[in-house]
Amino acid sequence: ATQQPLSPWLEGAQLTHHLNLIAVFAINKINQDPELLPNITLGFRIYESFFSARKTYESSFTLLSTRNGMIPNYNCDTQDKLSAVIGGLGSETSLQMATILGIYKIPQVRAISYGSFHAMLSDKFQFPSVYRMLPNEEPQSLGLVRLMQHFRWTWVGLIASDDDSGEKFVQTLKPMLIRNSICVAFTERAPHVPSPSMVHVFREQTSKLHSSISQTKAEVIVVYGDTDSLLGFKLFLHTNYQTALTPIGKVWITTAQWDFTSYIALNRWTLKPFHGALSFAVHTKEVPGFRDFLRTLNPYQPQGDIFIQRFWHTVFNCSIPYAGLTIKGGRNCSGKEELESLPGSDFEMKMSGQSYSIYNGVYAVAHALHALYSSKSKKEATGKGHLLELQNIQPWEVTLHPFLKNVRFNNSAGDKLYFDENGESSAGYNILNWIVFPNDSFVRVEVGHMDPRAPVGQEFTINERAIVWNMPRSVCTESCHPGYFRTVREEEPLCCYNCAPCPEGTISNQTDADHCNKCPEDRYPNRDQDKCIPKIMDFLSYEEPLGFILASFALLFSLLTALVLGMFIKHRDTPIVRANNRELSYVLLFSLLLCFLCSLVFIGRPGRVTCLLRQTAFGVIFSVSVSSVLAKTITVVLAFKATKPGASMRKWLGRRLASSIVVSCSLIQVGICAVWLGTTPPFPDLDMKSEAGHILVQCNEGSNIAFYCVLGYMGFLAIVSFTVAFLARKLPDTFNEAKFITFSMLVFCSVWVSFIPTYLSTKGKYMVAVEIFSILAASAGLLGCIFIPKCYIIVLRPELNTREQLVMKSKSGTQEL
């Protein structure tokens, strides 16, 4: 069978004139397309509901009746085959249409809603024939949250329509806001347009609404509702603006459900309160050819457009006499007036989100019909075993459902369109910025979008620089700066808080921190406590004054000791050197030289080797020194005892006794140090907690017990030496070093007794400095008290350094005793 030209009627309802033109433009393009529905012409009829439930029901019944009259259940037209219904600017009218059309269960009837977001229409069980050229509301709610997060708005107001959709919106959005630390300052319902008997209720509602808006700190207010349900709110804004009562400094965020320009031209309502507002709108693109189509419109060539003449008469304020549209004393319309010259409040030359939805809805039906008529098997399309002529197809014989459900196509603007499993469009939302001029003309600038199909993390985008407004600071409390954290106010929302400085040792490096954090161990807070800075590595170095001075003294005393040792070696055969046990003097001087030099090991950054050598070398060398002093003292005592007639002590005199004392006493200290190094040896350590801002680079002694054992043993040797020397202090001067040893041991013990509490009370490099000072002071005390008097005689009083002088003094001393 050959296909004959067929005119299935594509019906439209409830459109403003701009929306009417979109439908006409789309249908004309389809009819001119040789590839889409070839040999088939689409027709249409437009019905106006006047936003009235009664008129909506009437129009819906008319669609299902004969063309020349409304007779329910009776349609005798043979050419006017109803394929789909496009309509529903408001939620209520969409529900009313879907209810009526669903009763008849005519499978070819599809209610494609372009303006209703009502969640009930997504119920495919209750409304199986409804397809919506609108995206799901959930991405819009998520976009609102992302918008507030981007601009750090944490204190916002909500105004929702006083219906089920408004209630659902509030119940959906509020938990999302709370989860993202955004608080709702107030929630109000939009007032309804008052009837004469309900004016007092409207006044009460608007008074309460005005109070909430004007008294809140929230500078951002979200408005939700469709065009019908927010008429009362728009009237409230217009009235308050005219009486100078509109709150200043508020930024309105509107949802895609509300096209608040729909009644501007008709009612001359002002748009000035919406300057700087942001609105979500159904995604739209510029459609090629639409502007050219608008430029061809002419009221004197209506081409079946019954609205064009009244529209032209209204917006251009001119007369069309033959249509009965005149203005007293006014000019006649020339037909050459340009729509582009009209302000946006009267007419827009580009498609809005709703216009774009109508355009795509018409094309969706056309592509579904094309798929139906292009079926190779008429049996598959009709479910019958014989072929049918397309012009004779009856509504109950064929279903458009599977074709409309699976329709996928790219429109002329380049967008890919299809319906999801809920019969909703896959498109996203554009974010528009409203710029209103003093003459109430306006432009809507796209500044962002919310696309649920975008990759994760890229769904929401906003071009902040493109927005024209005074950017609000919609917060309950000014943000807590870095270095502070938020503290909750009792019985107030979480967004209202106090700011408290971070506790010592903690920082917060972000605005509105919930708590302060400790820095890593190697860092510490700066003065403002808003960032962590590296700690200073602290140890006693040669570069700093204290280390340089101590090292200089160590080298000076070492040089002095070396000079004394050289002097003793040079005058080794003189009586004063020989009389004071020459070998022990050499050992003592050499050990003192090493004592001064070992203090240098304490200066500089501690390493593994230096930590092992510090205390052990110090302990062993000092033990040799003190052991030498002890040997000297014992030798003096034995030497005096041996000079008495018949004394048995003579056999103990000699090098063997002195060497035995030095070696045995030193080996005990060596044993202690060996055990220490073998069990818990010292090691380099970093102390990050003792001093704020510093890392103390130090040697960990490994075992404090071992360290104090080393000190304790040296103290024991010193006390023994002091005791023996003190008892021998009255021996003859010639042989007697006991007085000098007594005083030197007194100095030695005083230094180390004062060392312990001072050492324990200091940290870091000052602890090291205390130990170096103690080493230098104790060593200098031994050097000065024992050897300086002898050097004085050798250098300055050589006449006293003779054998005769020594023998004379020895005899006189013996007689005195």
Side-chain angles (χ1 to χ4, degrees):
T2 58
Q3 294 187 7
Q4 300 296 325
L6 184 66
S7 300
W9 287 94
L10 181 65
E11 310 290 353
Q14 303 165 201
L15 307 176
T16 65
H17 188 59
H18 189 275
L19 305 182
N20 297 341
L21 293 174
I22 298 294
V24 174
F25 169 69
I27 292 171
N28 287 344
K29 285 193 66 174
I30 293 169
N31 289 335
Q32 295 168 9
D33 191 339
E35 296 182 0
L36 184 61
L37 292 175
N39 298 324
I40 296 174
T41 302
L42 293 181
F44 63 92
R45 285 190 297 194
I46 297 175
Y47 294 88
E48 179 59 72
S49 67
F50 299 100
F51 302 100
S52 164
R54 185 182 66 83
K55 292 296 294 183
T56 300
Y57 280 117
E58 180 182 331
S59 299
S60 300
F61 276 116
T62 303
L63 287 172
L64 301 172
S65 302
T66 187
R67 187 171 186 178
N68 296 322
M70 188 189 71
I71 306 174
N73 297 323
Y74 178 73
N75 189 337
C76 62
D77 292 339
T78 58
Q79 295 298 317
D80 298 349
K81 296 298 187 292
L82 180 64
S83 296
V85 175
I86 297 179
L89 182 61
S91 298
E92 293 302 320
T93 53
S94 294
L95 285 172
Q96 291 156 5
M97 287 175 56
T99 301
I100 293 298
L101 298 175
I103 291 174
Y104 285 83
K105 294 183 172 60
I106 299 176
Q108 276 189 300
V109 177
R110 299 292 176 263
I112 300 183
S113 172
Y114 63 85
S116 174
F117 287 80
H118 203 294
M120 191 179 297
L121 291 175
S122 297
D123 186 351
K124 304 311 292 181
F125 179 79
Q126 188 174 358
F127 299 105
S129 300
V130 174
Y131 294 86
R132 295 200 289 178
M133 295 308 302
L134 300 171
N136 190 278
E137 273 193 284
E138 186 175 344
Q140 179 177 237
S141 298
L142 182 59
L144 286 168
V145 175
R146 294 287 180 267
L147 182 67
M148 295 173 195
Q149 288 179 319
H150 176 82
F151 290 109
R152 299 182 181 275
W153 296 332
T154 58
W155 191 242
V156 297
L158 289 184
I159 299 176
S161 56
D162 192 9
D163 53 24
D164 292 341
S165 296
E167 183 63 30
K168 184 177 184 298
F169 172 79
V170 171
Q171 292 180 357
T172 301
L173 184 62
K174 265 191 172 182
M176 295 176 67
L177 295 176
I178 293 172
R179 285 195 300 269
N180 290 277
S181 301
I182 301 170
C183 301
V184 178
F186 66 88
T187 302
E188 294 291 348
R189 300 299 178 184
H192 292 285
V193 176
S195 61
S197 61
M198 299 296 290
V199 173
H200 66 285
V201 176
F202 178 77
R203 288 176 178 171
E204 291 177 1
Q205 292 175 333
T206 54
S207 176
K208 183 174 182 294
L209 181 59
H210 183 272
S211 176
S212 297
I213 294 174
S214 59
Q215 293 179 9
T216 182
K217 288 183 179 180
E219 298 179 13
V220 173
I221 300 174
V222 179
V223 182
Y224 174 89
D226 59 27
T227 306
D228 297 348
S229 60
L230 292 178
L231 278 176
F233 176 71
K234 187 66 183 73
L235 177 60
F236 156 77
L237 283 181
H238 175 76
T239 304
N240 278 269
Y241 186 85
Q242 295 298 328
T243 56
L245 293 176
T246 298
I248 303 299
K250 306 299 182 184
V251 171
W252 305 96
I253 309 296
T254 66
T255 58
Q257 288 81 348
W258 186 23
D259 181 9
F260 52 80
T261 62
S262 300
Y263 307 104
I264 298 300
L266 179 62
N267 297 283
R268 296 299 171 189
W269 286 349
T270 181
L271 275 174
K272 290 184 177 66
F274 292 97
H275 176 67
L278 297 178
S279 65
F280 282 74
V282 178
H283 170 71
T284 182
K285 276 188 176 180
E286 186 73 22
V287 176
F290 180 61
R291 288 179 180 269
D292 295 333
F293 166 75
L294 294 178
R295 293 189 183 104
T296 64
L297 297 178
N298 192 312
Y300 296 110
Q301 298 174 1
Q303 299 178 353
D305 187 349
I306 63 174
F307 301 102
I308 183 66
Q309 294 171 342
R310 182 170 295 278
F311 169 76
W312 211 272
H313 160 73
T314 302
V315 297
F316 288 111
N317 195 29
C318 58
S319 301
I320 305 178
Y322 86 93
L325 302 172
T326 60
I327 297 177
K328 188 175 181 179
R331 65 180 181 85
N332 290 336
C333 298
S334 66
K336 296 182 180 180
E337 292 84 359
E338 294 182 354
L339 292 173
E340 290 176 291
S341 65
L342 294 174
S345 56
D346 289 340
F347 191 83
E348 289 188 272
M349 293 294 290
K350 63 181 180 180
M351 291 189 183
S352 66
Q354 294 173 343
S355 303
Y356 195 60
S357 296
I358 293 174
Y359 177 82
N360 290 329
V362 173
Y363 263 89
V365 173
H367 278 277
L369 288 171
H370 183 83
L372 171 65
Y373 294 158
S374 299
S375 259
K376 294 180 180 180
S377 171
K378 302 301 185 295
K379 181 177 179 180
E380 178 184 351
T382 62
K384 297 192 175 183
H386 59 279
L387 299 179
L388 296 175
E389 294 294 334
L390 292 180
Q391 64 265 30
N392 296 324
I393 294 177
Q394 300 299 322
W396 56 85
E397 294 180 309
V398 66
T399 177
L400 200 59
H401 251 307
F403 302 99
L404 195 55
K405 183 185 299 183
N406 297 318
V407 68
R408 285 178 178 267
F409 64 96
N410 291 330
N411 65 11
S412 59
D415 281 340
K416 185 175 183 179
L417 299 172
Y418 58 90
F419 294 108
D420 62 17
E421 63 275 6
N422 295 320
E424 296 173 332
S425 170
S426 58
Y429 294 89
N430 291 341
I431 302 175
L432 307 178
N433 177 220
W434 288 78
I435 304 173
V436 183
F437 301 101
N439 63 351
D440 259 338
S441 61
F442 67 91
V443 291
R444 290 182 282 193
V445 180
E446 183 178 334
V447 294
H449 69 267
M450 181 69 192
D451 186 1
R453 298 173 297 181
V456 177
Q458 301 178 21
E459 301 94 339
F460 176 82
T461 58
I462 189 76
N463 182 6
E464 188 173 336
R465 294 182 178 179
I467 303 176
V468 178
W469 63 354
N470 292 322
M471 192 173 77
R473 284 276 302 152
S474 194
V475 294
C476 178
T477 305
E478 285 301 320
S479 298
C480 295
H481 298 296
Y484 292 79
F485 71 104
R486 299 188 299 185
T487 58
V488 179
R489 295 179 185 173
E490 294 185 3
E491 299 181 357
E492 290 194 36
L494 293 176
C495 300
C496 301
Y497 47 81
N498 295 320
C499 297
C502 288
E504 185 178 356
T506 61
I507 64 135
S508 65
N509 56 4
Q510 61 184 10
T511 303
D512 288 335
D514 292 322
H515 57 274
C516 299
N517 300 311
K518 288 186 176 181
C519 290
E521 285 193 342
D522 61 339
R523 294 174 177 268
Y524 73 104
N526 63 346
R527 179 176 296 179
D528 295 330
Q529 292 185 273
D530 57 359
K531 64 180 179 180
C532 295
I533 56 179
K535 290 183 177 179
I536 300 172
M537 305 293 277
D538 193 17
F539 56 89
L540 186 63
S541 65
Y542 291 101
E543 289 77 15
E544 61 181 295
L546 181 60
F548 178 79
I549 291 172
L550 291 174
S552 299
F553 273 105
L555 293 175
L556 178 63
F557 284 122
S558 299
L559 179 61
L560 184 61
T561 305
L563 290 176
V564 173
L565 178 60
M567 186 182 299
F568 265 58
I569 293 174
K570 182 178 180 180
H571 299 86
R572 60 183 176 277
D573 295 326
T574 59
I576 196 168
V577 174
R578 297 185 62 179
N580 288 281
N581 199 325
R582 181 172 54 189
E583 288 75 13
L584 280 179
S585 295
Y586 293 162
V587 171
L588 178 56
L589 285 170
F590 184 72
S591 63
L592 288 176
L593 175 63
L594 293 180
C595 285
F596 289 124
L597 292 177
C598 82
S599 63
L600 298 177
V601 181
F602 289 81
I603 304 176
R605 179 163 184 158
R608 182 177 179 82
V609 175
T610 54
C611 285
L612 291 173
L613 290 178
R614 276 185 180 183
Q615 304 298 354
T616 53
F618 152 70
V620 172
I621 293 171
F622 254 92
S623 295
V624 173
S625 299
V626 179
S627 299
S628 300
V629 173
L630 178 61
K632 269 181 166 290
T633 307
I634 293 176
T635 300
V636 169
V637 174
L638 292 179
F640 177 76
K641 298 291 184 183
T643 57
K644 293 182 179 181
S648 60
M649 293 294 180
R650 187 179 295 272
K651 61 181 180 179
W652 294 100
L653 292 174
R655 296 179 181 178
R656 182 178 299 177
L657 175 62
S659 300
S660 299
I661 294 173
V662 172
V663 170
S664 60
C665 292
S666 301
L667 283 177
I668 294 175
Q669 186 73 289
V670 170
I672 295 173
C673 292
V675 173
W676 183 8
L677 295 178
T679 53
T680 54
F683 57 90
D685 191 19
L686 300 178
D687 182 1
M688 302 183 183
K689 299 179 179 179
S690 295
E691 290 188 21
H694 293 78
I695 298 177
L696 303 184
V697 185
Q698 60 187 12
C699 288
N700 189 312
E701 307 304 348
S703 171
N704 289 327
I705 295 177
F707 174 64
Y708 289 114
C709 285
V710 170
L711 291 181
Y713 181 69
M714 284 195 307
F716 170 74
L717 292 179
I719 291 173
V720 172
S721 297
F722 173 75
T723 303
V724 175
F726 180 77
L727 295 176
R729 69 188 183 284
K730 293 184 179 182
L731 293 176
D733 291 342
T734 303
F735 299 96
N736 193 7
E737 284 185 301
K739 292 181 180 179
F740 303 117
I741 292 175
T742 302
F743 188 69
S744 67
M745 286 295 101
L746 182 62
V747 172
F748 185 91
C749 292
S750 300
V751 168
W752 289 110
V753 167
S754 61
F755 160 77
I756 293 176
T758 309
Y759 182 83
L760 294 176
S761 63
T762 55
K763 295 288 184 182
K765 62 183 178 183
Y766 299 106
M767 176 186 287
V768 176
V770 166
E771 187 166 0
I772 294 174
F773 177 79
S774 299
I775 292 172
L776 296 178
S779 301
L782 293 177
L783 178 66
C785 293
I786 296 177
F787 293 100
I788 294 302
K790 296 177 178 60
C791 291
Y792 171 76
I793 293 175
I794 293 173
V795 176
L796 299 178
R797 301 292 299 276
E799 68 275 9
L800 299 178
N801 191 10
T802 61
R803 181 176 180 79
E804 293 76 11
Q805 185 68 26
L806 294 175
V807 170
M808 183 180 65
K809 286 187 176 182
S810 176
K811 289 180 178 180
S812 63
T814 305
Q815 292 173 0
E816 290 175 2
L817 291 173

